[in-house]
Structures are given as C-alpha cells and as structure tokens.
Amino acid sequence: MAMFDGKRRMRILFAVLLLASVASGCANGPSRDPAAKELASTKYDPHALDVFHVALAPGSDESERTFSWHTQDTNKKGVVELSRLDEEGNVLSSETFEATIEDILRGRSRHKATVSGLEENQLYSYRFGDGHRAWSESYTFQTQAEGNFNILFFGDPQIGAGDGTWIDADGWDRTVTVATEMFPDTAFLVSSGDQVNKASDLSQYDGWFFPEELTAYPVMTIAGIHDDSPFTDYFNVPNETGLGEDSEGSDFYFTYGNTLFMALNSQSSDIAEHKEAMELAIAESPDATHRIVFLHKSLYSSANHALDEDVLVLRAGLVPVFDELDIDAVLMGHDHVYVRTYQMKGDEVVGEIAYNEEGAAVDPDGSVYLTGNSSSGSKYYDMQDTSGYERYSAVALQLEEPTYMNVEVTDDSLTFTTYKVSDQSVVDAYSIVKTVGE
C-alpha cells in the first residue's frame, strides 16, 4: 500500500504540537480536538461533518467491518456510506448503513455502525453522514484475497504513561507506520489493551488515534485495566456475548478466514462465564482450523505483574479451559515485556514435541502463550527474578525499545514473529504446523 497522502501533513502537525508542549512545559501536551481546530480555522459549512476518533475494526467475519466515531453533540443518528472503488478510485457502487447514537461526556456524541457484504480483494471508501446533508471526509481500506493472511499484534501503547502524551503518540505512530509498511497487506491489527494511561483524558485518546493508518486498517482493541468504562465509548466490537462482563464490555469473538479469534475481558475473573463464551464461539465456528485467544492480562510473563494475585487466579482458572478447548495460542499484554512460553498444558511444559526441518512444532499438545512488550515505548517493566518464570519461558526479554508481532496464518500453520521497530530485526520467531484433514 502506498504511503498516505496526508502523512507528511500529520507529522508536521505533530511536530508543532510537540514543540508547543515542550515550550509550555506541559507534560501531557495540548488536546488535539479536530472538530475545534476545524471550526476555529474555517467558516461554518453546513455540508461538512466534523468527525473524530474514527475506529475501524473487524466485524463478525471477513465480510463485515464495524465503525465507531464521535461528533459534536447531536441527536442525529447518522450513517456510514460505503463505496466500492475501481483501481483508479472511481466509484462503482455505494450503500449506506444506519448508525446508532449515544451521548458521551463533554458535549460529544458517539456513533456506531456495522457494514456488511464486503467482497474479497476490493478497494472501498467510506465516509460518515448526519443522515441529512452533511458528510465527513472520505477514507479508504482494502479487503484481502481469500487464503493465507497475516495480522499485526501490538503490546500496550498506554499513551500518556511515558514522558508525555505526544511523545508516546509519536512512538505509537512510528510503530504502526513501520509495521504496516513492512506488511502492507495485513488483514487487521490488534492492540492488546491499555490503549491509554488515563481513560478520562481526551488528549491521550487523541494520541492513540494519531496514526493515520488506523483509518485504513481494521484494529481490534482489547480492554485493559487503564481503559476503564470509556472503552465502550471509543470502540465497537462484534459478537459481544454478555459473558465476562464489566463496565468495559464483555467477551466477544469473530472469525477471519480459517481462524476463530476470541477476546476475553480479563477484568472479570469469572472463569465459568469465560468458558461459556468460548464454547459459544466454538459452537458458532466448529470448522475453524485455528483458535486464538486475546486477553490483556498476561498469564505467563516475567516482569512486574508476573506473580500478581489476579493474574495467578486467571492462570489457574483459564489454562485448564484452554487445554480442554484446544486453543492454539494466547496473545497478551499488560506486563510490558516480551515472553514466549514453551508449549504449555496443565500449567506444565509439554515434554515431547516433534519438529519439522524448518524448526516448526508439528501437531504440538497444549497452547503457546505470547506476551507483547510496549508498542509505543511509553513504559517498560523490570524483569523479575528468573525463579518466577524460567520454568515456562522459552524466551523472556526486556529490550526497552518498541516491538510488534506479525502473525502469519496459512491453511495448516501459525507463525509468530516479533520485530524491533528500530531496525526491523527479528527478536523471536515460532511456528506451529498442523496435520490438517487426517
């Protein structure tokens, strides 16, 4: 995918904001409210709709996408206009989808919608309307061809936890840009939770939404401990089960290609409800080749949270469930460190595993657990004494620089490769190969 036309403009804007922050001595930087900025610099245009905090996400399967966006306070539900484009960007057809509306704090309204009927390997544009005559600017995204695909997994961005909101936002922006430039045909992105440090701080969400790529790649966000109840104000997830529920939402699931993805709300320690949610998801997608779970709190890590009581409770309860339900991999955040376990079953390392000539584990028992380090560089945790994690950690590293993970999915394999953002060098790689259909 080509570089975004507005990328240079956005980086100039960021530089101005960062310099202003330093000059004023404000640690968090100025709030970048696109609507306020636009209204201050232009005359009112009744045909222009100001939208901000645009969240594009995967839908229940590859034929759907969900949207969430904010406007200034309004009682108009709004719509999403979705257009099929040819290679030159000409509109082939258009369809509108109605949104729901709910007021949120500070004079803003939240809108949510789902679009369906997406075709594979197709370029689309989308824009938001008020249902009358006003429209936002247009954005584009590309669907992928059927077959093999990849996703990008990012450990906690936690904008605002470091040396300043806009410094963290710049680190997050760089990671997303580097990752999507290296893997331009990515199906979707995953943010492992703690999108921001203080959920009530609008400027921190301005920073999380700063990367322009987030309007072109669907992003599945997982609820973290710092996201709190505003999580549901910013994101629209598919197939919410109502199980494992708290103020941040509940467990949900979706499919993409041959893989079932299940996201657990690790703020809830109700193991029975988490199991019920996963059983529901599996019953809806019994033929999925691969099963991957996302959750925020890392069950097997090596830093500050490795031995937290709530983590150990989740480990004791969820690991047997993952074993029973044949979960292939569990991707997590929370502890701001990189850890890949051995294959684990019953809280023990699997003793015998066969490997092929490429070094991939063939039909291994149990699950592999991977914890992503900070993707923005906002905060890192110190490694703890090795006695707490050496029994299960195949790799445990604190590099103190941003990383991200690419997950490659084929008909019969999963490959997890973690990269440094600074030079794109490989930190760690691990593959699982399955004997499918026998």
Side-chain angles (χ1 to χ4, degrees):
M1 182 177 292
M3 286 293 291
F4 294 91
D5 293 337
K7 196 67 179 178
R8 182 172 179 274
R9 173 180 56 81
M10 293 293 285
R11 289 194 179 281
I12 292 172
L13 172 62
F14 168 76
V16 171
L17 289 167
L18 183 58
L19 288 172
S21 174
V22 172
S24 66
C26 177
N28 287 327
S31 174
R32 189 187 65 170
D33 187 329
K37 176 170 67 69
E38 189 71 17
L39 289 173
S41 61
T42 63
K43 294 182 179 179
Y44 174 68
D45 181 354
H47 299 287
L49 179 66
D50 292 309
V51 301
F52 36 99
H53 296 159
V54 173
L56 165 66
S60 60
D61 59 31
E62 59 268 28
S63 71
E64 293 186 354
R65 299 290 185 272
T66 73
F67 293 92
S68 176
W69 68 98
H70 292 176
T71 65
Q72 296 299 329
D73 191 28
T74 180
N75 59 4
K76 299 174 182 177
K77 288 186 177 180
V79 296
V80 178
E81 181 186 70
L82 182 72
S83 299
R84 292 173 56 246
L85 307 179
D86 63 19
E87 294 181 356
E88 285 73 41
N90 301 307
V91 175
L92 300 174
S93 62
S94 296
E95 185 177 1
T96 58
F97 297 83
E98 187 170 311
T100 61
I101 183 173
E102 183 175 334
D103 290 337
I104 58 174
L105 296 175
R106 306 187 192 184
R108 298 184 176 190
S109 293
R110 176 190 71 200
H111 308 260
K112 293 187 177 185
T114 298
V115 302
S116 57
L118 300 177
E119 300 175 6
E120 66 167 312
N121 200 28
Q122 176 63 53
L123 180 63
Y124 288 93
S125 69
Y126 64 95
R127 62 176 181 167
F128 307 105
D130 65 356
H132 295 272
R133 60 180 178 176
W135 292 98
S136 72
E137 65 176 297
S138 293
Y139 310 89
T140 61
F141 67 88
Q142 173 82 39
T143 59
Q144 310 304 311
E146 291 183 358
N148 301 344
F149 66 95
N150 77 287
I151 68 174
L152 292 168
F153 181 79
F154 301 95
D156 307 16
Q158 203 165 342
I159 306 301
D163 293 328
T165 293
W166 290 103
I167 293 174
D168 297 345
D170 185 49
W172 170 231
D173 180 57
R174 181 167 183 250
T175 296
V176 172
T177 299
V178 166
T180 53
E181 285 183 350
M182 187 166 183
F183 298 98
D185 296 325
T186 293
F188 61 92
L189 319 180
V190 180
S191 179
S192 71
D194 286 357
Q195 278 62 236
V196 298
N197 189 54
K198 186 178 181 181
S200 61
D201 189 335
L202 292 179
S203 71
Q204 293 183 8
Y205 269 109
D206 289 343
W208 189 87
F209 283 100
F210 185 77
E212 196 169 3
E213 290 84 357
L214 300 187
T215 62
Y217 290 92
V219 187
M220 185 52 68
T221 45
I222 310 304
I225 61 173
H226 287 267
D227 296 309
D228 207 358
S229 57
F231 181 83
T232 59
D233 292 333
Y234 291 94
F235 305 110
N236 183 9
V237 301
N239 293 331
E240 276 206 274
T241 64
L243 299 163
E245 187 172 25
D246 75 346
S247 62
E248 298 182 34
S250 65
D251 300 344
F252 63 92
Y253 63 94
F254 61 103
T255 61
Y256 193 97
N258 61 359
T259 305
L260 171 62
F261 297 95
M262 294 169 278
L264 305 183
N265 177 16
S266 61
Q267 299 306 101
S268 168
S269 59
D270 192 325
I271 304 301
E273 289 201 358
H274 290 316
K275 181 180 181 181
E276 184 179 351
M278 288 187 283
E279 289 175 333
L280 172 64
I282 291 169
E284 290 291 321
S285 304
D287 297 326
T289 303
H290 309 298
R291 296 172 182 173
I292 294 178
V293 168
F294 300 125
L295 71 158
H296 175 64
K297 292 181 181 178
S298 175
L299 306 186
Y300 292 105
S301 64
S302 63
N304 289 25
H305 294 303
L307 299 178
D308 286 356
E309 182 177 354
D310 57 338
V311 168
L312 296 180
V313 167
L314 286 172
R315 182 196 297 177
L318 287 176
V319 167
V321 176
F322 295 155
D323 293 342
E324 179 183 343
L325 299 181
D326 293 326
I327 303 304
D328 296 298
V330 183
L331 275 57
M332 309 163 292
H334 188 48
D335 214 16
H336 298 247
V337 69
Y338 177 72
V339 173
R340 171 174 60 83
T341 68
Y342 300 103
Q343 290 289 140
M344 302 293 293
K345 188 171 184 179
D347 194 34
E348 298 292 338
V349 174
V350 175
E352 296 184 6
I353 296 177
Y355 296 91
N356 65 15
E357 293 180 354
E358 287 74 38
V362 179
D363 294 326
D365 285 338
S367 308
V368 62
Y369 296 78
L370 300 109
T371 302
N373 206 340
S374 170
S375 55
S376 66
S378 65
K379 181 170 68 173
Y380 303 104
Y381 286 135
D382 293 334
M383 300 282 279
Q384 300 300 294
D385 189 280
T386 57
S387 62
Y389 59 86
E390 62 183 351
R391 73 172 182 89
Y392 54 71
S393 296
V395 181
L397 298 169
Q398 180 51 276
L399 301 171
E400 295 194 351
E401 61 176 287
T403 60
Y404 68 92
M405 182 189 304
N406 181 65
V407 182
E408 182 180 353
V409 183
T410 74
D411 288 342
D412 63 354
S413 70
L414 295 168
T415 299
F416 308 90
T417 308
T418 295
Y419 296 87
K420 291 182 182 179
V421 174
S422 59
D423 59 7
Q424 294 287 53
S425 61
V426 173
V427 174
D428 180 45
Y430 181 72
S431 295
I432 294 170
V433 174
K434 297 182 176 182
T435 305
V436 177
E438 295 184 9

